[in-house]
Amino acid sequence: MSAADLARVQFAVTTSFHFLFVLLTLGLVTLLVIMQTRYAITGAPVHERMTRFWGRVYVINYALGIVTGIVMEFQFGLNWSGLATYAGDVFGAPLALETLVAFFLESTFLGLWIFGWGKLNRWVHLSLLWLTALTAFASAFWIMAANGFLQHPVGYRVEGNVLRLDDFSALLTNPTFTSAFPHVVFASITAGGVFVTGVSAYHFIRRTAETDFFRRSLRLGVVTTALATPSLIGAGFAQFPVIGTYQPGKAEAAHWLGAPLGFMIIIGMALTTASWLTLPLLIRDAVVRLRFPLYLMVIGIPLPFAAAVFGWLFREVGRQPWLVYGLLRTEDALSHVDADRILLSLIVFTSLFALLAVIDWALIARAVRRGPDTTPAPVSPLVVTL
């Protein structure tokens, strides 16, 4: 493989891994907001326990996601310095805002939320989680704004051999951004709903004693999935006119792109159908007595994540041979690094990401098997002991 091919594979691997962490983080924080808001309003202990249990899983995934994000950022300097040189003034603006405004604030609010259990007023503590969720989606907002520029460059002027930011508002009204961002939002909420549904089903398969706890979690997961998936599919199909206008013939850029696009649509339709068929079974806990649907719920946990990777392949590979569509070819953005060094970094980064993924899944599985705490912990229950 050429240096360009190896660099593309490396970026694809690292980005895909990182996006899976982000997807679950955004989905879980949305459901946590619902759980803790219920607790703040009702004061019911079960809602507090739900927030603590699912919050523990959320923090594990968030911590590992930070590490993958840091590693992914190295790609721009190591392999794609031509992008920074040519379009860094435009492309880097939303990325800088994502780091300075969204990510730093999100981490601060999350830290206060983690260590604020039992120390802060109930409503103050709830507001910290709301702020964590809002800044998390703000982070996704700026990332998608940067990606939208790569798909359809706007808001720039050519100065010498580089691009300069000319109209920041154009980045925020870019059709390839405004049509894609809702799709990402509903995809993450769907992933969170499917995950909570599957984990709750797993505990019912094990004949858990925490029936009320996981009954509520199961209902929340199924209802969330049923509400999010129609919007997810609608937002997905709404992108096709935009693609046809600004990237005509995108699917023909690689003849095999039709397969991942088709798989993504099939998964979206399947999750929508399954969640809506399950809604009536929530009445009188029929879904628990039947048991067979519980196994399908557990098996379905990976589906939204697989669909997200398929969608990313279509969006990114279909843009080739352009890195900045119509302006900068992928091969011209490559750093002056020989193929052997890129292969070495590909092996190192892939191994590191695989290790992080295994650690993440192992810690989440451990937290899931442990189940909710029976009594309130004396310190924050979100501190994970390895």
Side-chain angles (χ1 to χ4, degrees):
M1 298 177 69
S2 66
D5 292 333
L6 290 170
R8 287 181 61 194
V9 170
Q10 181 173 315
F11 193 79
V13 170
T14 54
T15 306
S16 297
F17 267 107
H18 178 63
F19 187 54
L20 297 182
F21 288 94
V22 171
L23 202 66
L24 183 58
T25 295
L26 292 175
L28 283 180
V29 76
T30 303
L31 296 180
L32 282 173
V33 164
I34 297 173
M35 296 173 193
Q36 189 166 352
T37 300
R38 285 179 173 178
Y39 168 63
I41 294 175
T42 66
V46 64
H47 295 305
E48 179 188 14
R49 294 180 66 220
M50 288 174 64
T51 306
R52 288 173 177 266
F53 172 71
W54 295 109
R56 182 183 297 115
V57 177
Y58 164 71
V59 171
I60 293 172
N61 188 75
Y62 181 88
L64 273 297
I66 290 177
V67 180
T68 61
I70 292 173
V71 175
M72 189 194 71
E73 292 292 336
F74 285 124
Q75 305 300 302
F76 296 113
L78 290 174
N79 296 336
W80 304 106
S81 59
L83 174 63
T85 301
Y86 180 72
D89 188 66
V90 184
F91 178 72
L95 289 183
L97 288 172
E98 186 274 333
T99 301
L100 298 174
V101 177
F103 173 70
F104 284 168
L105 286 177
E106 178 189 2
S107 301
T108 301
F109 292 138
L110 178 59
L112 291 171
W113 181 77
I114 290 174
F115 297 103
W117 280 98
K119 301 178 179 67
L120 298 174
N121 174 275
R122 180 188 303 177
W123 295 100
V124 173
H125 194 245
L126 174 63
S127 67
L128 289 172
L129 183 61
W130 272 92
L131 291 171
T132 300
L134 291 174
T135 49
F137 281 101
S139 181
F141 176 91
W142 292 117
I143 290 294
M144 292 304 298
N147 183 266
F149 170 79
L150 300 181
Q151 304 289 336
H152 173 55
V154 295
Y156 69 91
R157 71 178 187 276
V158 179
E159 188 176 290
N161 294 323
V162 299
L163 305 182
R164 299 298 184 191
L165 182 61
D166 188 57
D167 184 4
F168 185 77
S169 63
L171 297 178
L172 305 184
T173 57
N174 189 344
T176 56
F177 159 59
T178 56
S179 63
F181 180 63
H183 189 61
V184 171
V185 170
F186 290 117
S188 63
I189 296 175
T190 297
V194 171
F195 179 82
V196 170
T197 299
V199 171
S200 302
Y202 165 77
H203 277 275
F204 277 115
I205 292 173
R206 296 179 63 194
R207 301 187 183 280
T208 176
E210 296 278 0
T211 53
D212 181 56
F213 182 97
F214 286 108
R215 181 189 298 114
R216 293 175 182 271
S217 296
L218 182 68
R219 288 178 177 175
L220 178 59
V222 171
V223 171
T224 300
T225 305
L227 294 177
T229 47
S231 300
L232 168 65
I233 294 173
F237 280 111
Q239 294 183 72
F240 287 130
V242 177
I243 294 173
T245 300
Y246 298 104
Q247 295 181 342
K250 184 171 188 174
E252 286 74 25
H255 65 279
W256 54 269
L257 280 180
L261 178 63
F263 288 139
M264 179 182 63
I265 294 174
I266 291 172
I267 291 174
M269 294 293 186
L271 291 176
T272 303
T273 303
S275 60
W276 279 91
L277 290 177
T278 305
L279 286 176
L281 298 179
L282 296 177
I283 302 174
R284 298 183 180 276
D285 296 331
V287 66
V288 177
R289 294 196 302 272
L290 291 174
R291 294 190 66 78
F292 176 70
L294 298 177
Y295 290 93
L296 296 180
M297 292 174 181
V298 175
I299 296 173
I301 290 177
L303 291 181
F305 300 96
V309 173
F310 290 144
W312 182 87
L313 285 174
F314 178 78
R315 182 173 177 85
E316 298 303 308
V317 177
R319 190 175 71 244
Q320 299 304 315
W322 301 102
L323 188 54
V324 181
Y325 194 80
L327 296 177
L328 179 65
R329 297 176 68 90
T330 301
E331 59 187 20
D332 296 329
L334 189 66
S335 302
H336 298 292
V337 181
D338 58 60
D340 291 338
R341 292 184 179 181
I342 296 179
L343 177 60
L344 176 61
S345 64
L346 170 61
I347 295 173
V348 172
F349 282 152
T350 302
S351 301
L352 176 59
F353 271 62
L355 176 62
L356 292 174
V358 170
I359 293 174
D360 182 59
W361 296 331
L363 290 176
I364 288 178
R366 178 183 177 182
V368 165
R369 286 194 301 268
R370 174 184 171 185
D373 294 323
T374 55
T375 56
V379 295
S380 170
L382 305 180
V383 179
V384 181
T385 302
L386 300 180

